[in-house]
Amino acid sequence: SGPLADDWAAADWEPVSPAYRDDAGDTFHRNHFGYGSVGVLTNDTGRNDLRLCKVARSKTTLWFMAECSQPLTPPEGEAWMTLYVGSEDASKEGSQFKIQPQAVGRQAKVSVLAEDQTWKSRGTVPYRIGDKRIVLAVPREVLGLSPQGPVRLRFKWSDNVCGDTPMAWWTDGDTAPNGRAEYRYQTE
């Protein structure tokens, strides 16, 4: 997936590969009796049904695109269309970056996971939304990547997941890919 002619144009994404797919229809709301005396279990966090993700690059920027089955909900709340990115460095486990689009200003807040396991602000990056799509433009330097070297990373999109715990990725909102899994993106 080389550079895009126009960083944001929907048509430019068609030839970009690979295409990372997620199962559709997994944002349904649940309201059912639990086992034994648990009572009714309710979860209505399903919102944006993620179905397709892609990554494109230039020497200076990585673009992350997520497409949903239906038009995107308005950008609101801390958990709206969040991107997690991690290094392929074997000494690091999990995501080192969390990129959260903000409702105002078309900027996404970039946070880095500190040694004390808390998220620390690292600035902002631009994003745009279309009917069913969001695109984040992330400078390589924000992720600690050189302009000349290969790109090796893992990433995951989530929407309306309540908290950063891996269990919430199974029960709340939607994630692509599901659960603790992550997509891998690698260039030579």
Side-chain angles (χ1 to χ4, degrees):
S1 61
L4 302 174
D6 174 346
D7 310 347
W8 308 100
D12 283 346
W13 285 97
E14 294 306 319
V16 174
S17 65
Y20 303 90
R21 301 194 184 277
D22 187 52
D23 51 328
D26 56 351
T27 56
F28 56 89
H29 294 180
R30 298 177 295 279
N31 186 2
H32 202 292
F33 287 102
Y35 179 75
S37 62
V38 170
V40 175
L41 301 174
T42 303
N43 186 316
D44 59 359
T45 59
R47 195 167 54 177
N48 292 309
D49 188 10
L50 295 156
R51 69 173 198 90
L52 176 70
C53 307
K54 292 186 175 186
V55 180
R57 70 184 187 286
S58 73
K59 287 184 178 181
T60 60
T61 306
L62 294 173
W63 291 273
F64 293 88
M65 183 275 289
E67 185 174 284
C68 295
S69 298
Q70 301 296 321
L72 288 167
T73 61
E76 57 190 27
E78 284 283 317
W80 187 80
M81 298 301 290
T82 301
L83 175 67
Y84 292 88
V85 181
S87 167
E88 271 295 304
D89 181 346
S91 67
K92 297 178 182 174
E93 184 178 333
S95 298
Q96 289 89 41
F97 301 94
K98 177 167 65 170
I99 305 172
Q100 298 171 288
Q102 305 298 291
V104 179
R106 294 291 187 241
Q107 292 291 306
K109 180 173 87 173
V110 178
S111 300
V112 62
L113 188 61
E115 286 187 29
D116 65 358
Q117 299 301 298
T118 60
W119 294 104
K120 305 290 185 196
S121 180
R122 193 175 208 179
T124 61
V125 297
Y127 78 93
R128 291 198 190 163
I129 54 175
D131 182 39
K132 298 178 183 181
R133 222 173 242 181
I134 180 170
V135 178
L136 296 168
V138 183
R140 285 178 179 235
E141 65 187 22
V142 168
L143 301 176
L145 301 171
S146 81
Q148 303 303 322
V151 177
R152 292 186 184 94
L153 52 83
R154 300 177 316 276
F155 70 97
K156 170 184 219 59
W157 282 93
S158 74
D159 180 63
N160 212 25
V161 172
C162 303
D164 286 328
T165 64
M167 191 62 190
W169 291 335
W170 286 105
T171 59
D172 296 339
D174 194 19
T175 59
N178 293 329
R180 279 193 78 162
E182 297 172 307
Y183 296 124
R184 296 179 100 189
Y185 179 76
Q186 181 173 327
T187 67
E188 297 304 319

